[in-house]
Amino acid sequence: MSERKYVTTVGVEVHVELATRTKMFCSCLNAPQDVPPNTAVCPVCLGLPGSLPVINREAVRLGVVAALALNCAVNDRIWFERKNYMYPDLVKGYQISQIVSPLGGNGWLAIIGDDGEEKRILINRVHLEEDTARLSHAGDNSLIDVNRSGAPLMEIVTEPVMRSGREAEEYVRKLRAILVYNGVSRCRIQRGEMRVEANVSIAPEGATRLGVRTEIKNQAGFNHMRSAVEYEVRRHAGVIESGGTLHQETRGWDDANQRTFVQRSKEDAHDYRYFPEPDLPPLKIDPAWVKEIGAGMATGYEDYVRGLLDHGLSPADIEALSRNDALGFLRLAAADMPEKTPLFAKRLVKDVFALANSTAMALDESKLRPAAFRDAALLLENGKIAAEGFRTLLDLLYREGGAAEQVARGNQLFVETDHGAVEEAIRKVFAGNAAMVAEFKAGKTAVRNALLGRTMKALGKKADPRVVSGLLDEALKNA
Amino acid sequence: MPIAKESYASLTLEETLAGLRAGSFTASDLVGAALARIERFEPAINAMVTLDDAGAKAAAARWSRDAIPAGDAPNLSGVPVALKDNIMTRGFRTTCGSKILANFVPPYDAATVEKLRAAGAIIVGKANMDEFAMGSTGENSAFGATRNPWNPELVTGGSSSGSAAVVAYGGVPAALGTDTGGSIRQPAAFCGLVGMKATYGRVSRSGVGALGSSLDQVGPLTRTVRDNALLYDLIAGHDPSDSTSLEQPFTPTLGEIEDGVKGFRIAYDPGLLESEGVHRAHADAVRAVVAMVKDAGAEVAEVSLPLVKYGVAAYYIICACEASTNLARFDGVRYSVRETGADMWDTYSKTRGLGFGEEVKRRIMMGSYALSSGYYDAYYLKAAKVRRLFATEYEKLLSGVDAVLLPVTPAPPRPIGQKCTPLECYLGDVFTLVANMAGIPALAFPVGAHDGLPVGVQAMAGYFRESALYRLARTVEKNVKLPDAPWARPIPEGGK
């Protein structure tokens, strides 16, 4: 096989679940996997007769944020269509989606192309829709969890402009980083919050028409997608060169055997009978609102990363922040005090990522919120809590959530600023360790550290070593 | 003069309210009389799918005389009403007239039901209907045909067949129906009642089993025009849970209802009345109303109603397309009746094959076909363009006149069981579906009787001009007598 004779063309469709509080068309909690199955449901997302959808403004806002972050034009009048097909995970027998008038389109995202130059991956469309329920299969039975039904979903479709599996992988990694950074979606792959499909075709060099394409569905990870695309490129070339015929079809990726397999041929493709959703009148997207959203958006992802270097962060720290999906978190934490960015970055890299390791729970799975993290870091910085208290506080916020001050107070983590209380503790330690005090007086100054340790212990996490140390020395002098 | 107890239920809504307020009878008396009358008429008429005897009696017991708000403010405290069975009632079976929902108990009330309950209404039960509101005779119900109280050999019209019949035989003073192409107005006309199809978006559709979502409206069926306005005022208005509900401010219509038609410009289409298939009594009824409004000081204009001949074709495409997807949810998976098959697809087809009636299946097939790839442009898209024309043409016409008069149906009700082809049936909607296609309000009201049957007339107005329709109908009502109406008849002998 001589792949060089062919030009590879790849287009990518990505679905992401939007990070809204409630669902796309009802006020049920959008937290499909955080509550017991079938508890975040109502007549609307169950598709009961007579129930009607109402568009979630926050989902539209996040869609606009995504569109702007991807350099798309936002349409000022959009509408939804019904996409009709029957399956047990689709409660109404149709999905409310968009076909004719997507929220945005004509955008781009820059990657480093195979030739080492910057390359713009053109975005054809960004549209909004609703997710389906989740099916799981147990023996002869299938179980339906309707929690995910109606969750807000965004589809981002590129033009067929990528030339390799590597470019496709780079595109989806960059796309994910941008969406996470902008708070559009948490994009947790393992939770299905980001799902990727690639369309692959090859054509002889110089050909004016694209070859027959295959669509590869739902790869579990970005490297799987790249492997699947590369496999398809080899398979297509093999079929062409052996005189065979390629069929337009949908294929899945078998990672164990490193190959794709047929899922659905074109003949079995659905006729979705799209038509305008009569329950939702067209939606006007006020350009002034779009402008306002744009103005409120953070610095672009790439500018932000460059800015971090200017703040003196090391490339290694930036890489760690990026790997842990913490850039958006950092930006939010430092939103009101950008000058503190290096401090927060240091705490994230040093303390928070350590927690991620020790708890085996990634930052975006944790209960830690940017504002709580910021406040905790400031409490340490301002000496309101000590290092040990900070670690305890962070651990609590990470596992259980809450506001920093409140949790610190509830767990008595504030350092004792009342000298009287410290002096009282020292008096008690002296009283209980009269022999040691006598030894100190006799010139055996090494027992001072033992006395300090006992006082610290008596005070617990409230103890600020600097304060205790100073007061202890004074007390010893006067003893 | 004391009212005979068995006649309580035959009182108008306003008389009922006055009687309750005056203490002439209690809500329990009223509900007892209503249930007694319903029980006696039901074997012959079959207006009700499910009665809520216990619930209605319990609700009535809560409306002592002291509990009824004093004053004239319209409310329904202690008043029994019936609901078409596609209007969801929390904890109470709602079948949409279909076998597939024979055991469906909704966990929520429709927005209109919430309003009725808040106003104090007592829901005595759910009224029969053509399955999923598909039909214009009342015969397409999984629970049997409803018969016309004026003459049980005839159909009531549909699809709000039971809502019309139970009001016509005096079971309750008022009922709610739904109207997608005439389903309130046509049975209202066949049963001698007043029926309103309001401006699209005026009354919330939330909690109403959908037929054609872009055409459906809930509306009242009553024996008098004032009763109709009273009930309409209570259910109309913006509802944020229905995105097609309009935010336009709402002014109650009852306050203006006696203002007459002096200075109104009222139009009709003389050519239409001469056209083939229009029964003479129906044409004469329109002419009679023209004369009455002229006498009452209105100016009369002759117009040519646009687009009427395109209506049936376009309407039945749009309605079937929307219905085909609205009914896709009835798959036997989460609720509704399930017929287990060999595999998933077999379960789908068995459930739907056995659960849906013939007319429903026909429309699902028509709608699926018209939406499918390669046919969409020729059918759905073209029909949608025709609908747009209806809206613009009728808006233009109605900007120059206060109301347009036309027959409700071309022909009087047919005998029960007399077969007609689907197309013949669909053609019966030719005059009513105009208002649904254009989104405008239309009111059917009785103007007299012919051969022992009531004859109605329809008036349409511009967007949000329901009030003009009520003023017109109220003016006409003063000249109208309906001899031997079923609601005035005594309870039939025999039976149970």
Side-chain angles (χ1 to χ4, degrees), chain A residues 167-183:
Chain A
E167 285 192 353
E169 183 181 354
E170 169 132 357
Y171 163 74
V172 290
R173 285 195 188 281
K174 187 76 170 286
L175 176 66
R176 181 174 183 281
I178 290 174
L179 296 175
V180 170
Y181 168 75
N182 281 291

PDB file of all heavy atoms in Angstrom, chain A residues 167-183:
ATOM      1  N   GLU A 167      -4.157  15.532  12.745  1.00  0.00           N
ATOM      2  CA  GLU A 167      -4.814  16.843  12.732  1.00  0.00           C
ATOM      3  C   GLU A 167      -6.182  16.774  13.419  1.00  0.00           C
ATOM      4  O   GLU A 167      -6.563  17.689  14.157  1.00  0.00           O
ATOM      5  CB  GLU A 167      -4.980  17.362  11.291  1.00  0.00           C
ATOM      6  CG  GLU A 167      -3.680  17.855  10.689  1.00  0.00           C
ATOM      7  CD  GLU A 167      -3.872  18.642   9.379  1.00  0.00           C
ATOM      8  OE1 GLU A 167      -5.024  18.696   8.857  1.00  0.00           O
ATOM      9  OE2 GLU A 167      -2.879  19.180   8.892  1.00  0.00           O
ATOM     10  N   ALA A 168      -6.895  15.674  13.185  1.00  0.00           N
ATOM     11  CA  ALA A 168      -8.211  15.530  13.814  1.00  0.00           C
ATOM     12  C   ALA A 168      -8.060  15.467  15.329  1.00  0.00           C
ATOM     13  O   ALA A 168      -8.831  16.082  16.076  1.00  0.00           O
ATOM     14  CB  ALA A 168      -8.915  14.280  13.288  1.00  0.00           C
ATOM     15  N   GLU A 169      -7.054  14.749  15.786  1.00  0.00           N
ATOM     16  CA  GLU A 169      -6.837  14.635  17.229  1.00  0.00           C
ATOM     17  C   GLU A 169      -6.464  15.993  17.815  1.00  0.00           C
ATOM     18  O   GLU A 169      -6.961  16.396  18.863  1.00  0.00           O
ATOM     19  CB  GLU A 169      -5.747  13.605  17.537  1.00  0.00           C
ATOM     20  CG  GLU A 169      -5.569  13.432  19.033  1.00  0.00           C
ATOM     21  CD  GLU A 169      -4.487  12.436  19.428  1.00  0.00           C
ATOM     22  OE1 GLU A 169      -3.930  11.769  18.540  1.00  0.00           O
ATOM     23  OE2 GLU A 169      -4.197  12.357  20.634  1.00  0.00           O
ATOM     24  N   GLU A 170      -5.597  16.700  17.103  1.00  0.00           N
ATOM     25  CA  GLU A 170      -5.188  18.011  17.607  1.00  0.00           C
ATOM     26  C   GLU A 170      -6.400  18.952  17.681  1.00  0.00           C
ATOM     27  O   GLU A 170      -6.560  19.707  18.634  1.00  0.00           O
ATOM     28  CB  GLU A 170      -4.105  18.610  16.703  1.00  0.00           C
ATOM     29  CG  GLU A 170      -3.860  20.085  17.034  1.00  0.00           C
ATOM     30  CD  GLU A 170      -2.414  20.448  17.192  1.00  0.00           C
ATOM     31  OE1 GLU A 170      -1.563  19.541  17.097  1.00  0.00           O
ATOM     32  OE2 GLU A 170      -2.134  21.633  17.423  1.00  0.00           O
ATOM     33  N   TYR A 171      -7.248  18.853  16.659  1.00  0.00           N
ATOM     34  CA  TYR A 171      -8.456  19.697  16.642  1.00  0.00           C
ATOM     35  C   TYR A 171      -9.343  19.417  17.863  1.00  0.00           C
ATOM     36  O   TYR A 171      -9.753  20.334  18.565  1.00  0.00           O
ATOM     37  CB  TYR A 171      -9.251  19.480  15.344  1.00  0.00           C
ATOM     38  CG  TYR A 171     -10.672  19.981  15.433  1.00  0.00           C
ATOM     39  CD1 TYR A 171     -10.964  21.340  15.400  1.00  0.00           C
ATOM     40  CD2 TYR A 171     -11.742  19.093  15.605  1.00  0.00           C
ATOM     41  CE1 TYR A 171     -12.264  21.803  15.522  1.00  0.00           C
ATOM     42  CE2 TYR A 171     -13.040  19.540  15.738  1.00  0.00           C
ATOM     43  CZ  TYR A 171     -13.305  20.897  15.696  1.00  0.00           C
ATOM     44  OH  TYR A 171     -14.595  21.356  15.836  1.00  0.00           O
ATOM     45  N   VAL A 172      -9.639  18.155  18.118  1.00  0.00           N
ATOM     46  CA  VAL A 172     -10.573  17.878  19.217  1.00  0.00           C
ATOM     47  C   VAL A 172      -9.953  18.201  20.574  1.00  0.00           C
ATOM     48  O   VAL A 172     -10.647  18.637  21.500  1.00  0.00           O
ATOM     49  CB  VAL A 172     -11.144  16.436  19.201  1.00  0.00           C
ATOM     50  CG1 VAL A 172     -12.091  16.264  18.032  1.00  0.00           C
ATOM     51  CG2 VAL A 172     -10.068  15.397  19.159  1.00  0.00           C
ATOM     52  N   ARG A 173      -8.635  18.025  20.696  1.00  0.00           N
ATOM     53  CA  ARG A 173      -7.987  18.394  21.971  1.00  0.00           C
ATOM     54  C   ARG A 173      -8.084  19.907  22.198  1.00  0.00           C
ATOM     55  O   ARG A 173      -8.395  20.370  23.292  1.00  0.00           O
ATOM     56  CB  ARG A 173      -6.514  17.971  21.975  1.00  0.00           C
ATOM     57  CG  ARG A 173      -6.333  16.488  22.156  1.00  0.00           C
ATOM     58  CD  ARG A 173      -4.897  16.116  22.525  1.00  0.00           C
ATOM     59  NE  ARG A 173      -4.733  14.673  22.501  1.00  0.00           N
ATOM     60  CZ  ARG A 173      -5.144  13.864  23.486  1.00  0.00           C
ATOM     61  NH1 ARG A 173      -5.717  14.372  24.566  1.00  0.00           N
ATOM     62  NH2 ARG A 173      -4.991  12.563  23.384  1.00  0.00           N
ATOM     63  N   LYS A 174      -7.827  20.639  21.142  1.00  0.00           N
ATOM     64  CA  LYS A 174      -7.876  22.098  21.251  1.00  0.00           C
ATOM     65  C   LYS A 174      -9.316  22.551  21.504  1.00  0.00           C
ATOM     66  O   LYS A 174      -9.576  23.418  22.345  1.00  0.00           O
ATOM     67  CB  LYS A 174      -7.358  22.688  19.925  1.00  0.00           C
ATOM     68  CG  LYS A 174      -7.192  24.192  19.921  1.00  0.00           C
ATOM     69  CD  LYS A 174      -5.957  24.618  20.686  1.00  0.00           C
ATOM     70  CE  LYS A 174      -5.643  26.094  20.503  1.00  0.00           C
ATOM     71  NZ  LYS A 174      -5.094  26.407  19.189  1.00  0.00           N
ATOM     72  N   LEU A 175     -10.247  21.931  20.789  1.00  0.00           N
ATOM     73  CA  LEU A 175     -11.661  22.272  20.963  1.00  0.00           C
ATOM     74  C   LEU A 175     -12.073  22.029  22.413  1.00  0.00           C
ATOM     75  O   LEU A 175     -12.724  22.870  23.053  1.00  0.00           O
ATOM     76  CB  LEU A 175     -12.527  21.424  20.025  1.00  0.00           C
ATOM     77  CG  LEU A 175     -14.040  21.602  20.175  1.00  0.00           C
ATOM     78  CD1 LEU A 175     -14.459  23.011  19.750  1.00  0.00           C
ATOM     79  CD2 LEU A 175     -14.797  20.578  19.325  1.00  0.00           C
ATOM     80  N   ARG A 176     -11.674  20.908  22.936  1.00  0.00           N
ATOM     81  CA  ARG A 176     -12.028  20.565  24.314  1.00  0.00           C
ATOM     82  C   ARG A 176     -11.453  21.601  25.279  1.00  0.00           C
ATOM     83  O   ARG A 176     -12.158  22.088  26.179  1.00  0.00           O
ATOM     84  CB  ARG A 176     -11.495  19.180  24.664  1.00  0.00           C
ATOM     85  CG  ARG A 176     -11.859  18.756  26.063  1.00  0.00           C
ATOM     86  CD  ARG A 176     -11.451  17.321  26.355  1.00  0.00           C
ATOM     87  NE  ARG A 176     -11.909  16.963  27.693  1.00  0.00           N
ATOM     88  CZ  ARG A 176     -11.287  17.322  28.807  1.00  0.00           C
ATOM     89  NH1 ARG A 176     -10.165  18.022  28.744  1.00  0.00           N
ATOM     90  NH2 ARG A 176     -11.774  16.984  29.981  1.00  0.00           N
ATOM     91  N   ALA A 177     -10.179  21.937  25.073  1.00  0.00           N
ATOM     92  CA  ALA A 177      -9.534  22.908  25.966  1.00  0.00           C
ATOM     93  C   ALA A 177     -10.297  24.240  25.940  1.00  0.00           C
ATOM     94  O   ALA A 177     -10.532  24.867  26.982  1.00  0.00           O
ATOM     95  CB  ALA A 177      -8.088  23.106  25.560  1.00  0.00           C
ATOM     96  N   ILE A 178     -10.715  24.668  24.756  1.00  0.00           N
ATOM     97  CA  ILE A 178     -11.415  25.953  24.623  1.00  0.00           C
ATOM     98  C   ILE A 178     -12.775  25.907  25.314  1.00  0.00           C
ATOM     99  O   ILE A 178     -13.163  26.832  26.020  1.00  0.00           O
ATOM    100  CB  ILE A 178     -11.561  26.317  23.122  1.00  0.00           C
ATOM    101  CG1 ILE A 178     -10.192  26.670  22.552  1.00  0.00           C
ATOM    102  CG2 ILE A 178     -12.555  27.448  22.919  1.00  0.00           C
ATOM    103  CD1 ILE A 178     -10.187  26.911  21.060  1.00  0.00           C
ATOM    104  N   LEU A 179     -13.499  24.811  25.107  1.00  0.00           N
ATOM    105  CA  LEU A 179     -14.837  24.707  25.696  1.00  0.00           C
ATOM    106  C   LEU A 179     -14.760  24.622  27.217  1.00  0.00           C
ATOM    107  O   LEU A 179     -15.552  25.246  27.926  1.00  0.00           O
ATOM    108  CB  LEU A 179     -15.577  23.484  25.128  1.00  0.00           C
ATOM    109  CG  LEU A 179     -15.870  23.543  23.628  1.00  0.00           C
ATOM    110  CD1 LEU A 179     -16.494  22.238  23.157  1.00  0.00           C
ATOM    111  CD2 LEU A 179     -16.772  24.724  23.289  1.00  0.00           C
ATOM    112  N   VAL A 180     -13.786  23.879  27.723  1.00  0.00           N
ATOM    113  CA  VAL A 180     -13.631  23.759  29.181  1.00  0.00           C
ATOM    114  C   VAL A 180     -13.199  25.113  29.748  1.00  0.00           C
ATOM    115  O   VAL A 180     -13.750  25.586  30.747  1.00  0.00           O
ATOM    116  CB  VAL A 180     -12.599  22.665  29.532  1.00  0.00           C
ATOM    117  CG1 VAL A 180     -12.251  22.709  31.021  1.00  0.00           C
ATOM    118  CG2 VAL A 180     -13.140  21.292  29.155  1.00  0.00           C
ATOM    119  N   TYR A 181     -12.240  25.727  29.088  1.00  0.00           N
ATOM    120  CA  TYR A 181     -11.715  27.011  29.546  1.00  0.00           C
ATOM    121  C   TYR A 181     -12.827  28.053  29.646  1.00  0.00           C
ATOM    122  O   TYR A 181     -12.886  28.844  30.578  1.00  0.00           O
ATOM    123  CB  TYR A 181     -10.622  27.473  28.585  1.00  0.00           C
ATOM    124  CG  TYR A 181     -10.194  28.908  28.763  1.00  0.00           C
ATOM    125  CD1 TYR A 181      -9.391  29.285  29.836  1.00  0.00           C
ATOM    126  CD2 TYR A 181     -10.592  29.884  27.857  1.00  0.00           C
ATOM    127  CE1 TYR A 181      -8.994  30.599  30.009  1.00  0.00           C
ATOM    128  CE2 TYR A 181     -10.207  31.206  28.024  1.00  0.00           C
ATOM    129  CZ  TYR A 181      -9.415  31.558  29.100  1.00  0.00           C
ATOM    130  OH  TYR A 181      -9.028  32.850  29.272  1.00  0.00           O
ATOM    131  N   ASN A 182     -13.743  28.038  28.671  1.00  0.00           N
ATOM    132  CA  ASN A 182     -14.824  29.028  28.650  1.00  0.00           C
ATOM    133  C   ASN A 182     -16.045  28.609  29.469  1.00  0.00           C
ATOM    134  O   ASN A 182     -17.062  29.298  29.455  1.00  0.00           O
ATOM    135  CB  ASN A 182     -15.251  29.316  27.207  1.00  0.00           C
ATOM    136  CG  ASN A 182     -14.286  30.272  26.523  1.00  0.00           C
ATOM    137  OD1 ASN A 182     -14.223  31.445  26.866  1.00  0.00           O
ATOM    138  ND2 ASN A 182     -13.493  29.752  25.596  1.00  0.00           N
ATOM    139  N   GLY A 183     -15.939  27.467  30.117  1.00  0.00           N
ATOM    140  CA  GLY A 183     -17.043  27.033  30.979  1.00  0.00           C
ATOM    141  C   GLY A 183     -18.280  26.597  30.218  1.00  0.00           C
ATOM    142  O   GLY A 183     -19.372  26.535  30.775  1.00  0.00           O
TER     143      GLY A 183
END
